[in-house]
Amino acid sequence: MTSVAEPELGRARKRKEDARLITGRTRWTDNITPTGTLHLAVLRSPVAHARIRSVDTDAARRMPGVAAVFTGRDLADEQGSLPCAWPVTEDMKAPAAPPLAVDEVRFAGEAVAVVAARSAAEARDALDTIDVDYDDLPVVLDMEAALQAGSPLVHEDLGTNRNATWTFDSAAAGTGGDVEDALRGAEVRVERTFRQQRLIPAFMEPRSVVVDPTGEQITMWSATQVPHILRLMLAMSLGVPEHKIRVIAPDVGGGFGGKLQVTPEEFIAFVLARKLGKPVKWTETRSEAMVSAHHGRDQVQKLSMAADRDGRITGLKVELLADMGAYLRLVTPGVPILGAFMYNAIYKIPAYHFSCTNVFTNKTPTDAYRGAGRPEATFAIERMMDELAAELGMDPMEVRRRNWIAHDEFPYDTVAGLTYDSGNYEAATDKAVELFGYDALRAEQEERRRRGDPVQLGIGISTFTEMCGLAPSRVLGSLSYGAGGWEHAAIRVLPTGKVEVVTGTSPHGQGHETAWSQIVADRLGVAFEDVEVLHGDTQVSPKGLDTYGSRSLAVGGMAVVQAADKVVEKAKKIAAHMLECSEDDVEFTAGRFGVRGTDRGTALGEVALAAFAAHDLPDGVEPNLDAEATFDPENFSFPHGTHLCATEVDTETGQVKIREYVCVDDIGAVINPLIVEGQVHGGLAQGIAQALFEEAVHDETGTLTTATLADYLVPSAADLPEFTTDRTETRATSNALGVKGVGEAGTIASTPAVVNAVVDALRPMGVSDVEMPCSPQRVWRAITGARASGATAPEAGGGLGSMNPQGGVR
């Protein structure tokens, strides 16, 4: 065994897994084709709401290579209903969600029939011959309209389009004052309504599933983030014993929450494989993914903020409408609720009220998308901080400073009922301001305004925190979530001294194999190269709750740490026996056990071989050097940071260009800075994409008009600026590693920074909001609308000046 002198934690190692991923020398689900596999193709509804009068599959059954064709009615008694694991209220409306529609379709893209054929091409050809007779029904696409009396009902049997209303009130909870009192007595009151547009998780690898029923177990390979949860949901929903199901997530090409799901196609493939007695395989097309994989966001946010004239917030009221789409998927109704705990952000807010009404519409179901509720909350509160600053004529950074939780006030109990354990917002902001050149950019902005430059400079701020490590089981239980949040790991030190780590987390691009190897290498004093990480297979790793919510390191990594520590404790007993000394006299350093005060010792590898041979073990010690651990934290972790964006906005064309982007994040201790940089850059790309580029759009009939990547604008590297990134560090106190989480930080923080910059550029022209995405057309319309109305902004403080609606100096 090779010993390692240089610590691994904090070391910028290239990722172990990248060599096979970048070169394609791996197995994606679509690469897997058991002998005798039948390929599936799914017929999808072209209409958003209709009764299915009949489905004629006779011609399809006669097509070359076709083995079987099934409709929803054919499988009605055995296909089950897709699960929702988060009943957010006791009276929540949860309609049946058949994988294949039986009598009615409720969104364009819903599965209606499935063909099994010898090849994927033959299966797709057969779809064209299926004749479905639809009886069109009225559609409802707007949430406010859906709640009005007499509105068309997505699910007639429910009698309403309201799914649930969930509330939190600080006065009732005992965490703060009464928000209505604060609003009534406010010296300054700001009310705004924002729209979170619908987004599509455009993961690299399309969804794919293979099911082989021919062994003792039914084996499913799926491009999923949640193999353990998927196995459990299949067993519970379809009545198959859980131990007879094996789910494998091979290398998965991205997810962003879009693969945190139990999908109709997984159920359909599972049912058909059992029914036909043969392996089946389904891989979606990109167009299928756009209409049938769940969407994200889609909220209307109404906020009311009370403050005094010095800019200190005295109350915040949040009222949401959240679009569920046509059905509830795995955690659909809980996603907007996660944001409830983050609208107060990093600010000391004395009174708070949150309410969210979930609404059914005839659109693709929504569910988790990178950040899941937290980006929506951060966007709203950071936009409101800028609006408050404009109302008061203050610099928006100064308004934030006056409301921050100070670094010496941690741990801090928030008005939303959480306890922030650590942080230093001042340090992160000071570093970001210096890197950004804040004062110089403000001076340039003032100069451009004075001369009426048609290209105006805007400066956007986002000072944020988020709750990561989605885990504490008791907290999740209090929110009626259908599972815990613990994570499991096992470590096996092999007789040769090499190490196997089995983790319940299931990576899809995060770098777990590298980071977990670094943790174990340091903890056990072995070489990084001597650690192998096994994951994503419920037979290899039978215990786990998978990967989402920035929980892998803070929860799964801690399970690895605890398992490693158990290995050391067991090995210490064996080493003491080998060295003929008391266990209390044994020290463990850099992979070696030594007798205190002497030069006698033995390496971990030698202890592992002795444990394997078991020729002379201490009484009561079992052979082999293995251990496992389950970690369930007592609290979330709370990364934070400051993101600053400078945009140049062409007031004649509406074109927005990001000129400068600086972010300083505090994610606690860093395991691998190279992985951190990759996560931050990827998150920034997605957050900026929401601000400027992406939106899922439906026409008045409910048809998705952005159903291809030619219409749904995912930015490339050429569309994004250079990023300046840096970090400060306050360690988390909720775990021994001191880590907080980074996977969603960039996405959460960047969207309001960009939009605030766009609005800041245009505020002197009377523009106070631009609906996302801030496309050239929308920006231009905001400008012309403000000019037509003759609007002007309040005189901005801090030397920010103002222009009249015609663009001249004022």
Side-chain angles (χ1 to χ4, degrees):
M1 177 183 293
T2 307
S3 63
V4 180
E6 182 182 349
E8 286 291 339
L9 299 191
R11 188 174 177 182
R13 276 200 177 270
K14 291 183 178 180
R15 303 196 313 179
K16 282 184 173 184
E17 48 271 68
D18 279 356
R20 70 175 190 271
L21 296 175
I22 292 171
T23 61
R25 293 177 179 176
T26 187
R27 288 213 307 172
W28 311 105
T29 301
D30 190 47
N31 298 138
I32 298 165
T33 308
T35 301
T37 293
L38 293 172
H39 295 261
L40 306 183
V42 177
L43 183 70
R44 301 187 182 278
S45 171
V47 297
H49 198 193
R51 290 189 181 89
I52 302 173
R53 299 175 66 92
S54 65
V55 184
D56 186 349
T57 61
D58 288 345
R61 296 177 197 276
R62 295 191 298 268
M63 289 288 288
V66 170
V69 183
F70 296 98
T71 69
R73 288 176 185 169
D74 295 331
L75 300 178
D77 295 333
E78 51 195 309
Q79 68 174 338
S81 179
L82 293 165
C84 175
W86 202 336
V88 293
T89 64
E90 291 184 0
D91 62 349
M92 184 185 86
K93 306 292 186 183
L100 279 174
V102 178
D103 298 312
E104 193 171 315
V105 292
R106 295 180 171 87
F107 70 95
E110 185 169 0
V112 174
V114 58
V115 174
R118 290 176 305 184
S119 70
E122 288 171 322
R124 286 194 294 269
D125 286 345
L127 291 185
D128 294 336
T129 68
I130 299 175
D131 184 19
V132 184
D133 185 6
Y134 294 104
D135 185 5
D136 287 348
L137 294 170
V139 298
V140 59
L141 305 173
D142 179 80
M143 287 185 280
E144 292 178 334
L147 294 175
Q148 294 175 2
S151 168
L153 297 177
V154 179
H155 298 275
E156 192 171 354
D157 57 316
L158 299 182
T160 179
N161 288 321
R162 186 187 302 268
N163 161 253
T165 298
W166 190 94
T167 62
F168 176 88
D169 187 86
S170 61
T175 58
D178 185 278
V179 77
E180 296 299 339
D181 288 346
L183 289 168
R184 279 193 295 270
E187 294 178 351
V188 178
R189 180 166 172 165
V190 179
E191 295 184 345
R192 297 289 186 272
T193 299
F194 304 118
R195 176 65 192 247
Q196 285 280 325
Q197 79 269 39
R198 179 172 280 244
L199 300 177
I200 299 174
F203 30 72
M204 260 194 310
E205 177 204 17
R207 295 176 301 155
S208 183
V209 58
V210 176
V211 182
D212 187 349
T214 58
E216 289 298 314
Q217 290 178 304
I218 303 171
T219 301
M220 173 184 282
W221 293 265
S222 182
T224 181
Q225 296 176 220
V226 288
H228 296 90
I229 292 173
L230 175 55
R231 179 196 192 203
L232 177 62
M233 293 295 101
L234 287 168
M236 294 179 68
S237 301
L238 298 177
V240 178
E242 187 179 357
H243 67 287
K244 291 295 185 182
I245 303 173
R246 178 183 183 183
V247 175
I248 302 170
D251 281 326
V252 175
F256 312 125
K259 294 175 183 172
L260 200 184
Q261 196 52 263
V262 177
T263 68
E265 295 80 11
E266 286 164 334
F267 267 47
I268 292 167
F270 192 88
V271 170
L272 262 60
R274 294 182 71 209
K275 193 175 187 70
L276 299 173
K278 293 183 178 181
V280 302
K281 178 178 180 177
W282 171 82
T283 300
E284 70 184 349
T285 65
R286 183 62 64 180
S287 294
E288 277 187 292
M290 304 295 273
V291 298
S292 62
H294 74 247
H295 294 173
R297 312 287 193 253
D298 206 348
Q299 296 180 8
V300 174
Q301 306 168 300
K302 180 181 177 183
L303 282 85
S304 302
M305 178 180 282
D308 63 26
R309 295 201 178 278
D310 290 329
R312 290 180 175 83
I313 303 167
T314 57
L316 179 67
K317 183 177 182 179
V318 179
E319 300 168 280
L320 299 188
L321 293 180
D323 196 334
M324 304 290 96
Y327 296 97
L328 303 180
R329 295 304 191 221
L330 191 63
V331 293
T332 301
V335 168
I337 307 307
L338 285 173
F341 305 98
M342 288 286 101
Y343 278 87
N344 53 289
I346 66 173
Y347 307 116
K348 293 182 282 191
I349 298 178
Y352 174 57
H353 178 89
F354 172 93
S355 68
C356 176
T357 296
N358 294 338
V359 185
F360 290 114
T361 64
N362 291 115
K363 290 187 278 187
T364 303
T366 58
D367 209 303
Y369 178 69
R370 197 170 187 171
R374 284 85 48 83
E376 297 92 313
T378 299
F379 177 84
I381 186 62
E382 289 304 291
R383 286 287 295 111
M384 288 296 285
M385 297 305 290
D386 266 32
E387 294 305 299
L388 176 61
E391 189 74 22
L392 294 169
M394 293 175 60
D395 186 297
M397 185 65 82
E398 178 59 28
V399 170
R400 288 168 169 83
R401 291 185 188 277
R402 294 187 182 193
N403 288 281
W404 284 341
I405 303 162
H407 70 275
D408 56 1
E409 294 180 281
F410 291 96
Y412 185 87
D413 295 331
T414 76
V415 73
L418 297 181
T419 299
Y420 294 171
D421 64 325
S422 67
N424 190 327
Y425 310 140
E426 304 99 306
T429 302
D430 288 346
K431 181 175 280 193
V433 165
E434 181 181 355
L435 290 170
F436 189 64
Y438 187 87
D439 291 341
L441 284 167
R442 282 294 186 201
E444 180 185 342
Q445 180 186 58
E446 176 69 13
E447 171 58 27
R448 288 196 186 201
R449 289 179 175 179
R450 270 200 301 268
R451 68 173 186 260
D453 195 322
V455 179
Q456 285 293 302
L457 182 66
I459 296 172
I461 303 169
S462 176
T463 52
F464 83 105
T465 188
E466 59 157 326
M467 58 183 204
C468 285
L470 187 63
S473 295
R474 291 184 179 181
V475 175
L476 294 177
S478 71
L479 295 173
S480 302
Y481 184 66
W486 52 265
E487 197 46 78
H488 184 80
I491 292 179
R492 304 191 286 252
V493 184
L494 305 178
T496 56
K498 310 303 181 183
V499 180
E500 290 180 336
V501 179
V502 181
T503 177
T505 63
S506 187
H508 41 282
Q510 291 86 350
H512 295 181
E513 292 177 32
T514 302
W516 281 207
S517 294
Q518 291 182 270
I519 291 170
V520 171
D522 268 9
R523 215 73 184 184
L524 297 184
V526 301
F528 172 79
E529 295 79 9
D530 287 346
V531 183
E532 187 77 13
V533 179
L534 308 175
H535 58 78
D537 183 337
T538 61
Q539 189 154 291
V540 173
S541 171
K543 300 175 185 176
L545 284 171
D546 306 316
T547 295
Y548 42 86
S550 297
R551 68 186 301 274
S552 293
L553 181 57
V555 189
M558 272 304 301
V560 171
V561 166
Q562 292 186 343
D565 290 348
K566 287 183 179 181
V567 165
V568 172
E569 288 306 306
K570 181 178 180 180
K572 188 179 288 187
K573 296 180 187 296
I574 301 172
H577 185 73
M578 294 169 64
L579 297 168
E580 298 179 332
C581 68
S582 167
E583 188 181 337
D584 294 337
D585 291 331
V586 175
E587 299 175 318
F588 180 67
T589 306
R592 187 171 178 81
F593 295 93
V595 181
R596 188 177 289 108
T598 75
D599 59 359
R600 291 191 301 127
T602 185
L604 178 65
E606 296 170 320
V607 177
L609 184 59
F612 167 77
H615 294 162
D616 184 22
L617 293 179
D619 292 341
V621 173
E622 296 179 353
N624 300 310
L625 205 51
D626 305 342
E628 58 183 82
T630 300
F631 180 68
D632 195 348
E634 295 182 359
N635 194 8
F636 301 100
S637 60
F638 300 96
H640 68 83
T642 296
H643 288 224
L644 302 175
C645 178
T647 60
E648 293 183 326
V649 182
D650 189 325
T651 61
E652 295 176 345
T653 67
Q655 183 69 39
V656 176
K657 177 185 176 183
I658 297 179
R659 176 172 137 183
E660 188 78 29
Y661 197 100
V662 169
C663 62
V664 176
D665 289 299
D666 187 330
I667 61 169
V670 173
I671 304 300
N672 185 322
L674 199 60
I675 292 177
V676 167
E677 283 295 295
Q679 290 280 7
V680 170
H681 278 232
L684 293 176
Q686 283 190 273
I688 292 170
Q690 179 174 9
L692 297 180
F693 301 108
E694 296 184 26
E695 182 179 24
V697 178
H698 293 80
D699 67 16
E700 65 279 2
T701 69
T703 300
L704 184 69
T705 61
T706 52
T708 73
L709 292 180
D711 306 297
Y712 184 86
L713 184 54
V714 176
S716 70
D719 299 305
L720 298 169
E722 291 288 328
F723 302 125
T724 300
T725 64
D726 208 335
R727 292 185 299 277
T728 55
E729 182 179 315
T730 54
R731 294 176 65 88
T733 64
S734 56
N735 62 77
L737 286 170
V739 297
K740 295 184 176 182
V742 68
E744 296 162 311
T747 302
I748 290 170
S750 58
T751 308
V754 174
V755 176
N756 276 339
V758 172
V759 175
D760 184 58
L762 303 178
R763 198 177 292 279
M765 306 177 74
V767 175
S768 61
D769 192 33
V770 179
E771 189 172 303
M772 294 188 292
C774 300
S775 62
Q777 185 182 62
R778 281 192 172 150
V779 172
W780 183 82
R781 284 180 175 176
I783 294 168
T784 55
R787 286 172 174 166
S789 67
T792 56
E795 191 72 29
L800 299 185
S802 181
M803 295 193 316
N804 69 26
Q806 286 70 44
V809 178
R810 175 174 179 263

